[in-house]
Amino acid sequence: MAFYDEIVGKHGAFKAYINGEWIESRSGKFQKNVNPTTNGVAYQVQACTREEVDAAYAAAKEAQKLWARTPLWKRAEYLHKVDGLMKQNAQPIADCLVKEVAKPAKDALTEVIRSGDLISYTAEEGVRALGEGKLLTSDSFPGQDRTKLCLSQKVPLGVVLCIPPFNYPVNLAVSKIAPALMAGNSVVLKPPTQGAAAGAHMVQCFHKAGLPKGLLNFVTGKGSEIGDYLTTHKAVDCISFTGGDTGLSICQKAGMVPIQMELGGKDACIVCSDADLDLAAKNIVKGGFSYSGQRCTAVKVVLVMEDVADKLVDMVVEGVKGLSVGKPEDDCAITPVISESSANFIEGLVKDAEAKGATLTTPYKREANLIWPLLIDHVTPDMRIAWEEPFGPVIPVRRVKNIDEAIAHCNDNNLALQGCVFTRDINAAMRISDAMETGTVQVNSAPARGPDHFPFQGFRDSGIGSQGITNSLEMMCKTKTTVINLDKPSYTMG
Ligand SMILES: NC(=O)C1=CN([C@@H]2O[C@H](COP(=O)(O)OP(=O)(O)OC[C@H]3O[C@@H](n4cnc5c(N)ncnc54)[C@H](OP(=O)(O)O)[C@@H]3O)[C@@H](O)[C@H]2O)C=CC1
Ligand SMILES: O=C(O)[C@H](O)COP(=O)(O)O
């Protein structure tokens, strides 16, 4: 049997994966996803029922008991196997990404390889970091002697619900699954509907690696239909979510469970008068337009000092001319955005800015979901695009009088994921970074989440908690302490 044969059911719909088995839903219903390039159906997945969600949680709960007793090195061994299998069987996963989320062909393959690397890094980091605990002695607190030895260790949370978004359905799934498993948890994965086919292929790599049954479950269906049931389920011990405003409502509904949230961004790029403009322009083009701006870390507003604005805008416009526009299969730089409604939303932002006097540096052009890359100059604070996240290939430029004005713009937004600053003055860079109230500030480079072991966090409405491999491992554990009470103080002579 070919590697991926068993994940496909009747009518070609991808199966769900519960308790170590690929199953077809008893609902008899399928959830379609749409090819953003053709607007036709790309794939179908199972529309799972509440009973199947219950079964996934029950399996996860049961499997976790034994997994928590599985040595760290053994957990790591499974994860390394998954990495190998993902790389050996990468192309079909990447092909799904091309078809269901219109990711350019090379980027799609890169996402899969990067995900394999992330899994292995998590295994290596987890083996070391999770094996470490802490010893505290009571005599450091006033009035105490050395009669109490407090041992703290990191223990699993239980069942982790992982919900990634469409734009990195593989990478943002494994960035949750791998630390969860490594830390001794089990997982229920609810993939984004756009991206669920790639998700099924990825899960098969865990299955084929021999991961014990029930540890990873894959429940498909529309978020608006099964999402609330999944997130408010009594079996959930942790929620790790990446996506848009849905995350805010999940936070309001979830009970007393640890939550990791990566939400939207409006990543500002501040360009100072002394900046290397060539470097800044190249980073704006790459950082703003890769994957058609559908990255939480894309440059989403440029704040440039007036004295260098003309020059910078010309250079970026020149760079934009070099971007190929078309199909993901042809590995074009700009490909159709995820859905018609997303394209309509982006268009609304462009039209609003145009009506209020912004300069479109090239004529606005759209065919179905395909929007040509566009730099919008002379954006002012009354325009929606100055504040809202387009998640598309359009970048607003606001010309500012000074750094304070740029920083104020950045901090006036409730979205506070990343930002960047271009300057040749490291002292100024540090001051600006400290003043920008975002989770990360990149100096002389566009915002980026990777490399995947770096801490990654949004402030305010952009998220809760810090991610990156090490931080996610930390977050997916709780601290357990054992205090040894001695009959009399004991000191070591050294
Ligand atoms: N900060 C960060 O790191 C990142 C943030 N993002 C943000 O994600 C957004 C784009 O991604 P998108 O996929 O459209 O985001 P959504 O918030 O629409 O969806 C994210 C995930 O949530 C699921 N979902 C939908 N409704 C519910 C619900 N009621 N309960 C539980 N889960 C639900 C979706 O499933 P379904 O597909 O079935 O609806 C999907 O799997 C942008 O705002 C972007 O900025 C993206 C990447 C990284
Ligand atoms: O969520 C996203 O948009 C991605 O995690 C971005 O990752 P990158 O900035 O490393 O490309």
Side-chain angles (χ1 to χ4, degrees):
M1 189 199 279
F3 191 80
Y4 289 119
D5 281 358
E6 66 188 309
I7 71 174
V8 187
K10 284 198 283 288
H11 314 297
F14 288 103
K15 296 179 182 170
Y17 181 72
I18 297 174
N19 202 20
E21 279 180 37
W22 287 101
I23 61 133
E24 293 187 81
S25 173
R26 289 188 168 211
S27 71
K29 293 188 189 142
F30 306 109
Q31 181 60 52
K32 293 186 171 76
N33 76 14
V34 175
N35 179 332
T37 310
T38 62
N39 275 328
V41 175
Y43 300 107
Q44 298 197 97
V45 292
Q46 310 296 316
C48 289
T49 62
R50 288 184 168 203
E51 289 69 31
E52 284 151 358
V53 170
D54 291 341
Y57 278 122
K61 264 227 146 10
E62 191 53 36
Q64 196 266 337
K65 291 180 193 159
L66 202 58
W67 186 242
R69 293 191 200 103
T70 303
L72 285 168
W73 64 264
K74 187 85 192 150
R75 294 181 206 162
E77 227 171 57
Y78 283 113
L79 290 184
H80 282 301
K81 256 192 216 163
V82 177
D83 169 18
L85 288 171
M86 275 182 67
K87 286 176 183 156
Q88 278 163 33
N89 300 281
Q91 195 58 54
I93 310 180
D95 292 345
C96 293
L97 293 174
V98 169
K99 210 166 148 191
E100 62 186 335
V101 300
K103 186 157 283 199
K106 279 193 191 137
D107 290 354
L109 203 54
T110 304
E111 177 174 343
V112 182
I113 306 299
R114 169 184 180 178
S115 301
D117 291 341
L118 188 158
I119 293 172
S120 269
Y121 191 104
T122 308
E124 286 159 23
E125 180 74 1
V127 152
R128 284 158 190 71
L130 297 168
E132 270 181 21
K134 209 169 166 185
L135 167 68
L136 268 181
T137 59
S138 47
D139 60 332
S140 49
F141 199 85
Q144 299 278 331
D145 54 22
R146 204 172 189 271
T147 48
K148 292 176 188 286
L149 306 179
C150 176
L151 303 171
S152 59
Q153 55 177 319
K154 293 157 199 156
V155 299
L157 295 169
V159 179
V160 179
L161 170 62
C162 301
I163 308 183
F166 81 83
N167 62 340
Y168 286 79
V170 176
N171 189 255
L172 291 175
V174 300
S175 71
K176 303 170 189 311
I177 298 168
L181 290 177
M182 195 57 213
N185 303 290
S186 57
V187 170
V188 172
L189 169 67
K190 149 60 190 121
T193 295
Q194 298 292 138
H201 285 73
M202 175 199 70
V203 168
Q204 175 71 340
C205 298
F206 286 82
H207 176 65
K208 289 285 191 185
L211 195 75
K213 66 175 191 165
L215 273 186
L216 172 62
N217 301 275
F218 175 72
V219 178
T220 50
K222 196 94 201 98
S224 53
E225 284 163 22
I226 56 166
D228 283 355
Y229 193 67
L230 276 158
T231 52
T232 57
H233 202 281
K234 64 179 185 325
V236 177
D237 296 307
C238 172
I239 301 175
S240 179
F241 175 91
T242 306
D245 287 348
T246 318
L248 300 175
S249 63
I250 292 177
C251 280
Q252 278 154 9
K253 287 179 217 153
M256 280 272 286
V257 296
I259 291 183
Q260 189 178 45
M261 288 277 155
E262 304 182 34
L263 309 181
K266 183 70 182 172
D267 308 34
C269 172
I270 298 181
V271 183
C272 300
S273 302
D274 71 337
D276 175 341
L277 294 183
D278 185 48
L279 179 72
K282 285 193 174 116
N283 271 275
I284 292 166
V285 173
K286 185 150 193 335
F289 292 111
S290 23
Y291 189 33
S292 307
Q294 298 172 111
R295 291 165 59 237
C296 58
T297 48
V299 170
K300 294 194 184 114
V301 58
V302 175
L303 304 164
V304 57
M305 300 309 128
E306 277 175 351
D307 57 341
V308 291
D310 283 344
K311 207 165 166 204
L312 181 82
V313 167
D314 285 351
M315 289 166 106
V316 177
V317 169
E318 209 41 47
V320 171
K321 281 187 200 153
L323 296 171
S324 53
V325 180
K327 290 184 184 165
E329 288 83 356
D330 298 336
D331 200 40
C332 288
I334 304 294
T335 55
V337 296
I338 192 68
S339 63
E340 194 184 346
S341 65
S342 176
N344 292 343
F345 174 76
I346 298 161
E347 182 165 302
L349 294 180
V350 174
K351 297 289 170 200
D352 173 77
E354 191 178 24
K356 289 174 181 160
T359 310
L360 307 192
T361 57
T362 44
Y364 174 70
K365 187 172 171 193
R366 169 181 170 187
E367 279 170 16
N369 296 359
L370 187 60
I371 294 176
W372 269 249
L374 175 61
L375 190 75
I376 307 181
D377 197 3
H378 299 289
V379 164
T380 49
D382 57 321
M383 300 173 188
R384 288 175 52 208
I385 201 159
W387 308 107
E388 294 179 38
E389 178 187 39
F391 231 56
V394 296
I395 307 181
V397 178
R398 179 178 170 196
R399 297 168 176 235
V400 290
K401 288 191 179 56
N402 52 46
I403 300 287
D404 288 345
E405 203 180 347
I407 291 168
H409 184 113
C410 169
N411 293 348
D412 273 349
N413 205 314
N414 246 11
L415 296 175
L417 187 63
Q418 287 213 354
C420 63
V421 53
F422 286 85
T423 172
R424 288 187 164 96
D425 178 350
I426 188 66
N427 295 304
M430 202 57 224
R431 275 193 299 276
I432 294 167
S433 169
D434 282 343
M436 289 171 82
E437 295 165 3
T438 58
T440 301
V441 174
Q442 302 267 350
V443 176
N444 290 328
S445 187
R449 184 167 61 93
D452 291 330
H453 65 308
F454 281 11
F456 181 56
Q457 54 278 314
F459 290 175
R460 297 198 282 272
D461 286 353
S462 284
I464 297 176
S466 180
Q467 311 194 44
I469 292 172
T470 313
N471 288 348
S472 288
L473 281 165
E474 180 84 21
M475 187 269 164
M476 291 188 182
C477 296
K478 55 192 171 198
T479 302
K480 161 86 188 215
T481 61
T482 303
V483 182
I484 299 175
N485 290 275
L486 304 174
D487 54 358
K488 55 180 186 275
S490 171
Y491 290 88
T492 168
M493 294 306 121

